[in-house]
Amino acid sequence: MTTWTALGGHIVDQCAVASNSANKASAIRRLFHIDRSAARVKALERLLGNDQPFKSRLRRRQDIDVICLFCSRFEAQSINPQIDFHFGHDLPVYSISHLYHGTPDRINDLDLEGIVVGDMPCILTNSALRDSARVGHEQHQAYRGSPLDRLFALGMDAYSLSSHITALQSVPGTGHRGFSGLLRVAADGIVQRQLSWARFEDAVPMALPSLH
């Protein structure tokens, strides 16, 4: 959040929901000011009385540009449909890498439709590359599709950097496409890692165009 505000972003509201809460709809209604919209309708009904019937439609607040969702895959599967139901279907939703471990679930992940996630490219889009690197590493097969895949990717990149680090340091801006992301070495010697981005479409994360 500190980085978001430093770059000029503004957090208009936030809401914390217990992971064991069965009713997340009420929290979203409060966040979207749906209850306020309903209260305005009731007030107008009282003002006009029964002699002036009218039709009304609830609406959400209009000062939201994007939603950032920090939760597990299971929680997102229940929250995302509620966002759509409460008139947030036109809002972009961004979330964290906890939503996906590299194994598609075409039934349950339909509820993640439209969510954008940032993660390692080997998890989102390059599963074939990841699997090819696992040849001869049968001991890792039991962990495929688990969070340990990310540790495997970091280990592969750490080994790869041992032979690419000199070139990355000598040519500013040069990048190395690793398993965990696009790797660069800053002027201070710190290795920077750029994630890949994908949007869930028909229960499958589809790669978004890279900005670089």
Side-chain angles (χ1 to χ4, degrees), residues 1 4 11 13-17 24 27-28 31-32 64 66-84 88 91-100 111-118 197 200:
M1 291 185 180
W4 175 265
I11 302 173
D13 211 338
Q14 54 186 312
C15 178
V17 181
K24 298 179 176 64
I28 295 174
L31 188 66
F32 282 3
I64 303 176
V66 63
I67 296 174
C68 296
L69 195 60
F70 302 99
C71 63
S72 69
R73 185 179 191 173
F74 175 76
E75 291 163 342
Q77 288 166 350
S78 62
I79 293 175
N80 195 49
Q82 290 292 339
I83 292 175
D84 288 344
L91 290 172
V93 179
Y94 286 79
S95 192
I96 54 179
S97 59
H98 289 175
L99 262 66
Y100 192 67
D111 289 328
L112 302 180
E113 185 71 13
I115 295 182
V116 177
V117 294
W197 292 88
F200 277 92

Side-chain angles (χ1 to χ4, degrees), residues 52-70:
Q52 300 292 334
F54 68 95
K55 293 183 179 180
S56 63
R57 184 173 62 181
L58 299 179
R59 64 195 298 267
R60 65 167 175 83
R61 61 193 299 177
Q62 299 298 304
D63 59 345
I64 303 176
D65 296 319
V66 63
I67 296 174
C68 296
L69 195 60
F70 302 99

Side-chain angles (χ1 to χ4, degrees), residues 70-192:
F70 302 99
C71 63
S72 69
R73 185 179 191 173
F74 175 76
E75 291 163 342
Q77 288 166 350
S78 62
I79 293 175
N80 195 49
Q82 290 292 339
I83 292 175
D84 288 344
F85 180 78
H86 289 96
F87 316 110
H89 55 277
D90 58 335
L91 290 172
V93 179
Y94 286 79
S95 192
I96 54 179
S97 59
H98 289 175
L99 262 66
Y100 192 67
H101 296 317
T103 303
D105 186 341
R106 288 186 173 271
I107 296 179
N108 293 315
D109 285 352
L110 284 173
D111 289 328
L112 302 180
E113 185 71 13
I115 295 182
V116 177
V117 294
D119 205 341
M120 296 181 177
C122 69
I123 301 295
L124 292 177
T125 58
N126 291 338
S127 59
L129 182 62
R130 175 192 63 198
D131 292 342
S132 67
R134 285 184 177 277
V135 175
H137 297 275
E138 289 79 6
Q139 66 270 29
H140 295 294
Q141 296 301 321
Y143 306 109
R144 287 185 58 184
S146 77
L148 292 179
D149 265 341
R150 294 184 176 87
L151 292 178
F152 181 83
L154 289 172
M156 293 294 293
D157 282 352
Y159 177 80
S160 180
L161 278 175
S162 64
S163 58
H164 290 88
I165 192 72
T166 302
L168 292 174
Q169 288 177 319
S170 60
V171 183
T174 301
H176 171 66
R177 295 193 177 277
F179 288 84
S180 64
L182 180 62
L183 307 175
R184 291 190 176 93
V185 179
D188 56 5
I190 295 178
V191 177
Q192 300 174 339

